[in-house]
Amino acid sequence: MIAEQVALPIVDSPVLSLRDATLNFADRALWSGLDLDVRPGEFIAVLGANGSGKTSLLKVILGKNQLSSAQVSFLGEPVRRGNRRIGYIPQQKLADEGTPLRARDLVALGLEGHRWGIPWPSKKRRARVDGVLSAVGASEYARVPISTLSGGEQQRLRVGQALADDPRLLLCDEPLLSLDLAHQRAVSELIDINRRAKNIGVLFVTHDINPVLEMVDRVLYLAGGRFRIGTPDEVLRSEVLSELYGSPVDVIRTRGRIVVVGTADVPHGHPDGLNTHHDEHHDPHHAGHDVHEATPL
């Protein structure tokens, strides 16, 4: 099912706000002076090179990292760790072989994972879990151990887990990584359909914007301690990225896809059409100086 593209209502109050925000790592600024509002129902893609601070931004919103200056507010209040109104979808990671946890149990953790002990059975709880499983197309394997499911099926469940407690904001940290094209499309559409139906703000970190390009309202591009915010057409342009990186960058649009081609001075890890994988979790000291020329997938 392809999500219908409809105009989102204009809502004055953002669910998330950052003002003049700065985040430092060691002796350098990952980004500084960042002003960002995420409004209900808005889909913002977060792009940038390895080490530019994309995942670190999500950790700030989750209350795991502290800003070096300014502050971030969620629903008008300072962010705090463990806020149940913020959903989180991690990178796709297969469950260990033999894990006995069933699909419905994983989704239920989105409702009760913050509580101690084993929850008492209830019709209301079962109905809620059944509804979430149905919404993400996972009802047929609800009682199956997650370790026997494919990567795409497991990621559907993580989407369900993140949506189970009716979040106002959904943080997605490269949720399409390692998925094939069919599952990328399916998971993207699940997120898009639910954010439109429930007016959920979405921050979607990705190294490739193409699977979600038609869903994106705005782009936040981080690079070299600086940033640009705007629609995909405003940000993903040769002159904008060349200025951002301080080096020539070509943005090519072909067959409905966007490909970013950099010179030898442009770091790898561009969002579009790359054959390399990058993950700032793995090498936080890497500031993105490797050489790579973008090519279509």
Side-chain angles (χ1 to χ4, degrees):
M1 177 180 179
I2 299 177
E4 183 182 358
Q5 299 300 301
V6 296
L8 295 174
I10 298 175
V11 182
D12 290 334
S13 300
V15 293
L16 178 77
S17 290
L18 290 93
R19 288 291 178 272
D20 197 25
T22 297
L23 183 65
N24 296 325
F25 180 82
D27 59 349
R28 70 182 180 94
L30 291 177
W31 30 265
S32 61
L34 177 60
D35 290 337
L36 176 66
D37 286 336
V38 182
R39 301 192 178 281
E42 186 176 27
F43 193 123
I44 298 179
V46 183
L47 311 174
N50 184 25
S52 59
K54 303 184 300 298
T55 292
S56 297
L57 172 62
L58 300 190
K59 288 183 177 181
V60 166
I61 299 166
L62 289 169
K64 295 181 178 181
N65 284 354
Q66 296 294 317
L67 287 170
S68 303
S69 66
Q71 65 178 11
V72 54
S73 63
F74 172 66
L75 298 180
E77 299 181 357
V79 295
R80 58 179 175 81
R81 192 161 184 164
N83 194 317
R84 303 293 297 172
R85 305 311 304 277
I86 300 177
Y88 174 69
I89 304 174
Q91 296 179 11
Q92 188 270 334
K93 181 180 179 182
L94 292 177
D96 293 335
E97 185 176 353
T99 300
L101 192 71
R102 300 174 304 169
R104 64 178 303 107
D105 299 328
L106 181 63
V107 169
L109 288 174
L111 292 171
E112 293 154 338
H114 63 295
R115 299 174 183 167
W116 291 101
I118 300 174
W120 289 99
S122 73
K123 289 183 178 181
K124 183 178 180 181
R125 174 179 175 272
R126 285 194 298 269
R128 177 62 180 156
V129 172
D130 288 341
V132 173
L133 287 166
S134 177
V136 298
S139 298
E140 64 182 79
Y141 46 86
R143 299 184 180 279
V144 175
I146 60 173
S147 59
T148 66
L149 300 176
S150 71
E153 290 169 337
Q154 291 186 31
Q155 201 66 339
R156 278 180 176 269
L157 295 171
R158 293 188 179 95
V159 174
Q161 185 185 48
L163 294 170
D165 220 18
D166 291 327
R168 296 288 305 279
L169 177 67
L170 191 60
L171 306 180
C172 309
D173 189 5
E174 302 248 23
L176 309 182
L177 205 62
S178 301
L179 298 181
D180 61 30
L181 291 178
H183 281 120
Q184 285 183 1
R185 184 68 181 179
V187 170
S188 299
E189 287 179 356
L190 281 176
I191 294 169
D192 188 49
I193 290 169
N194 279 277
R195 66 102 179 187
R196 289 178 180 277
K198 301 177 182 179
N199 224 23
I200 302 170
V202 174
L203 273 180
F204 193 101
V205 170
T206 181
H207 72 285
D208 183 0
I209 195 175
N210 288 299
V212 296
L213 183 58
E214 66 185 53
M215 307 169 187
V216 170
D217 297 306
R218 287 192 294 158
V219 167
L220 167 61
Y221 202 117
L222 304 171
R226 297 185 295 172
F227 61 89
R228 293 291 185 275
I229 303 174
T231 67
D233 286 341
E234 291 170 340
V235 174
L236 299 178
R237 296 161 50 196
S238 298
E239 60 270 30
V240 173
L241 295 190
S242 295
E243 179 185 355
L244 193 59
Y245 280 108
S247 184
V249 176
D250 291 325
V251 178
I252 302 169
R253 296 175 182 265
T254 176
R255 298 182 181 180
R257 292 177 60 82
I258 295 177
V259 180
V260 176
V261 182
T263 67
D265 294 328
V266 177
H268 81 280
H270 285 293
D272 314 307
L274 292 181
N275 291 329
T276 59
H277 158 59
H278 64 85
D279 181 355
E280 64 193 27
H281 293 297
H282 295 165
D283 188 5
H285 299 285
H286 176 58
H289 297 297
D290 290 349
V291 176
H292 194 280
E293 181 171 303
T295 55
L297 289 175

